Amino acid sequence: MATSTSQLDGQRPPRLPKSAPKVSLTIVGGPGKGHVVDLTRCVTLIGSRHGCKLQLRSPEVSAVHCAIVNTGEEVFVRDLASSNGTYLNDLPAVLEKLDDGDTIRVADWELRVKVTAYTLDTLSDLPHVSLEPEPTAFGVELNGSGKLVRMKRPIGVVGRRDSCDIVIKDKQVSRVHMLLFTYAGQPVFCDMLSNNGVTLEGHRLGFGVLHSGDALTLGQLAIRMILPGVGRRPAAAEASNMRSVSGSVSGNTDTSTGSGSRTQAPVGGNSESDHPDALGGTRDGTIVPFDDELGDRIDIRAAEIEGR
């Protein structure tokens, strides 16, 4: 049965249909050599933080280091503004398409990529695809400001770090807060284990389908999505009012103040300063969208200890 738009909204990225390319990673170098990780969701997070599908606990690995994104048709690796970079076939990679046999390097780990394309007899398993044209660009606007910032890459990172595609200088926003891309022909967002989460039209979600004009709240900052070629959300879904707070979408201005006019939450949980061993799953109700059942994650250090 086809997946409806509302069924794609949830706390975790959806599991891939049979029609999507099948992807697995084999650790061919570094701790945990020989482990095979099947990537069953449209976004797979690799990093040192608890909650990542592939948790590589090393000071050289950023809390959320890189993501494997399966659009339902193609597979990409996306560096998440990491401190030490992500390498594809020994070359620095920001956003690159993955092919069978490619090698991804993260710190001391080498990961061999296996991609098996879907076959024609699985096409009926495709999730719901909007009849409206796909977005030609992703843009965000600070609520009511009229200032538009356009995302330059088809799979973009929104966060506080200067190397993000859309930089939001606000203490309530994590260094790497969310991912924007197109899945099964629909524009979507995915929370990157941020400390303060993402709220879509009043609903706290880890993953959700976007319409033009949608209001998203990152921490306490409200932004509006501008998606040329994509229709607006049905009127019934727009009943929730989003609050508008002052802030900046740029690479230069920090909207946080020391005046006490609002409570400052801790910097996002995926901050580089977080010690990976000190990180838990959920904190104060924070959604951890990648934190599936224990059997669905690989913790390299733990796996090595259990194997002794």
Side-chain angles (χ1 to χ4, degrees), residues 35-78:
H35 275 290
V36 179
V37 185
D38 293 321
L39 311 188
T40 59
R41 296 187 183 273
C42 68
V43 178
T44 298
L45 197 59
I46 299 172
S48 61
R49 187 182 181 188
H50 175 79
C52 293
K53 170 79 171 186
L54 182 54
Q55 184 181 7
L56 306 176
R57 295 198 285 172
S58 164
E60 301 301 314
V61 178
S62 297
V64 285
H65 195 102
C66 65
I68 309 298
V69 178
N70 191 329
T71 68
E73 296 181 351
E74 296 179 308
V75 185
F76 298 86
V77 61
R78 180 62 166 96

Side-chain angles (χ1 to χ4, degrees), residues 80 140 151 156-160 164-166 168 173-181 188-194 197-199 206 210 216-218 223 225 270:
L80 298 176
V140 301
M151 192 174 73
V157 179
V158 179
R160 213 175 67 248
C164 291
D165 296 281
I166 296 178
I168 302 178
V173 175
S174 295
R175 293 187 179 187
V176 176
H177 201 104
M178 71 176 178
L179 212 58
L180 295 173
F181 63 102
V188 297
F189 76 89
C190 189
D191 188 341
M192 295 285 96
L193 301 178
S194 66
V198 179
T199 301
L210 294 167
L216 293 178
T217 302
L218 284 61
I223 65 175
M225 297 303 305
N270 56 27

Side-chain angles (χ1 to χ4, degrees), residues 135 137-141 148-149 211-214 224-228:
F138 279 81
V140 301
E141 175 199 17
L148 175 66
V149 178
H211 295 73
S212 191
D214 276 352
R224 188 165 298 278
M225 297 303 305
I226 308 297
L227 303 169

Side-chain angles (χ1 to χ4, degrees), residues 18-204:
K18 293 179 182 179
S19 55
K22 294 183 179 179
V23 187
S24 65
L25 300 177
T26 301
I27 300 175
V28 295
K33 184 177 180 179
H35 275 290
V36 179
V37 185
D38 293 321
L39 311 188
T40 59
R41 296 187 183 273
C42 68
V43 178
T44 298
L45 197 59
I46 299 172
S48 61
R49 187 182 181 188
H50 175 79
C52 293
K53 170 79 171 186
L54 182 54
Q55 184 181 7
L56 306 176
R57 295 198 285 172
S58 164
E60 301 301 314
V61 178
S62 297
V64 285
H65 195 102
C66 65
I68 309 298
V69 178
N70 191 329
T71 68
E73 296 181 351
E74 296 179 308
V75 185
F76 298 86
V77 61
R78 180 62 166 96
D79 181 72
L80 298 176
S82 65
S83 295
N84 295 312
T86 301
Y87 292 81
L88 178 64
N89 301 327
D90 293 325
L91 294 175
V94 176
L95 172 64
E96 297 291 343
K97 183 178 178 294
L98 291 177
D99 294 311
D100 187 50
D102 282 344
T103 300
I104 298 171
R105 179 162 57 85
V106 174
D108 294 331
W109 283 270
E110 290 188 19
L111 312 170
R112 181 70 48 79
V113 179
K114 181 178 181 180
V115 179
T116 305
Y118 62 78
T119 58
L120 290 176
D121 61 358
T122 63
L123 288 178
S124 61
D125 186 55
L126 280 169
H128 169 78
V129 176
S130 173
L131 295 178
E132 297 172 342
E134 295 185 19
T136 57
F138 279 81
V140 301
E141 175 199 17
L142 181 69
N143 241 355
S145 71
K147 181 178 180 180
L148 175 66
V149 178
R150 178 172 175 167
M151 192 174 73
K152 297 179 180 179
R153 298 184 178 95
I155 300 176
V157 179
V158 179
R160 213 175 67 248
R161 295 202 74 169
D162 289 337
S163 51
C164 291
D165 296 281
I166 296 178
V167 180
I168 302 178
K169 290 293 186 178
D170 187 286
K171 295 281 186 180
Q172 301 293 318
V173 175
S174 295
R175 293 187 179 187
V176 176
H177 201 104
M178 71 176 178
L179 212 58
L180 295 173
F181 63 102
T182 299
Y183 171 64
Q186 300 176 104
V188 297
F189 76 89
C190 189
D191 188 341
M192 295 285 96
L193 301 178
S194 66
N195 198 53
N196 293 315
V198 179
T199 301
L200 169 63
E201 297 293 344
H203 299 281
R204 183 92 172 257

